[in-house]
Amino acid sequence: MRALLVDDEPSIRFLNRVLLEERGVEVADESGGLAALDRLGRERFDAVVLDHRMPDLTGTEVAIRLREAGDQTPLVIYTGWSSDEMEASLAGLDVRVVPKDDPHALVDWVAGAGSA
């Protein structure tokens, strides 16, 4: 199981990397949406974790671009900020939203994504 973790906060990437690796997930990471899209154009992952609020592209924007390109990799937006507008933007895209105050829910989702 390989996951790409995308977050502009190094401490969040570090914490989630540790938690995911403890569950046997191989983790690669990027600090922004544009870098993630570039990497996803070159490599395949079993799951992608996207922060919502990043300086270059939001997690929602990355998810939309991936789905428009036909990429069906399981996606989760891991966010401390959510809104009805964000949820509406994700409607029909098969993207899970997990709050940042529940890292274990994120880890459970990623660890299960490869067997879904």
Side-chain angles (χ1 to χ4, degrees):
M1 157 64 81
R2 290 184 75 221
L4 179 61
L5 179 60
V6 186
D7 199 304
D8 60 319
E9 292 291 330
S11 61
I12 299 291
R13 287 196 315 269
F14 176 78
L15 170 67
N16 288 319
R17 172 184 288 277
V18 169
L19 292 172
L20 288 164
E21 288 176 345
E22 285 177 352
R23 290 284 296 270
V25 177
E26 179 185 333
V27 179
D29 64 72
E30 292 294 346
S31 61
L34 292 172
L37 288 170
D38 180 60
R39 190 159 191 173
L40 287 161
R42 295 180 279 112
E43 296 180 50
R44 295 288 160 239
F45 294 90
D46 300 302
V48 178
V49 177
L50 299 163
D51 180 23
H52 178 67
R53 296 181 100 175
M54 295 182 286
D56 55 2
L57 294 174
T58 67
T60 300
E61 290 168 330
V62 173
I64 290 168
R65 288 185 187 194
L66 288 171
R67 293 302 190 241
E68 286 176 346
D71 188 321
Q72 293 303 308
T73 303
L75 302 175
V76 63
I77 294 184
Y78 186 57
T79 184
W81 181 87
S82 184
S83 70
D84 290 339
E85 182 180 319
M86 181 184 82
E87 297 281 343
S89 298
L90 296 170
L93 295 179
D94 193 25
V95 177
R96 175 82 181 268
V97 177
V98 174
K100 278 193 175 175
D101 64 357
D102 195 356
H104 295 289
L106 174 72
V107 172
D108 289 344
W109 183 89
V110 172
S115 59

